[in-house]
Amino acid sequence: MSRSSPRSRLKIYYDVLRSIADENGRARFSHVLSSANLPYDRFIMYLSELEEKGFIIEERGNDGNYLVLTEKGMNFYRELRRMDYFLRGFGLSL
């Protein structure tokens, strides 16, 4: 039985940002948590890092909590997506 290697920090950032971008830049907290496939405590740690870097902001609404990509976050996501596409051309990934 083979074990897959753990995801890199960049891959986790990519997965979180992609999850938000796929929802037009604004996604429910619970949706992103589910898509990220991380334990809650690790998910919160990565969210804090993304917020500190100015890539996302958290919005609280009457119907729940949302994560929103900032312009800086969208630009970072696009560059990660380009890098991932490039790496896949060589049989690699983030």
Side-chain angles (χ1 to χ4, degrees), residues 21-57:
D22 287 351
E23 297 291 319
N24 296 317
R26 184 176 186 263
R28 285 187 178 273
F29 183 92
S30 56
H31 170 77
V32 180
L33 172 61
S34 175
S35 294
N37 194 27
L38 288 169
Y40 181 80
D41 59 332
R42 285 188 54 215
F43 177 71
I44 295 301
M45 179 189 73
Y46 286 109
L47 279 188
S48 291
E49 291 174 6
L50 290 168
E51 283 182 300
E52 286 173 14
K53 294 175 186 325
F55 297 152
I56 62 170
I57 58 171

Side-chain angles (χ1 to χ4, degrees), residues 75-86:
N75 290 335
F76 184 68
Y77 166 68
R78 285 185 188 123
E79 290 302 318
L80 284 177
R81 188 174 60 194
R82 284 182 33 178
M83 264 185 2
D84 190 50
Y85 180 78
F86 174 78

Side-chain angles (χ1 to χ4, degrees), residues 11 14 18 83-94:
K11 176 65 173 150
Y14 178 71
R18 182 184 62 211
M83 264 185 2
D84 190 50
Y85 180 78
F86 174 78
L87 289 170
R88 287 176 188 270
F90 293 96
L92 304 167
S93 66
L94 289 175

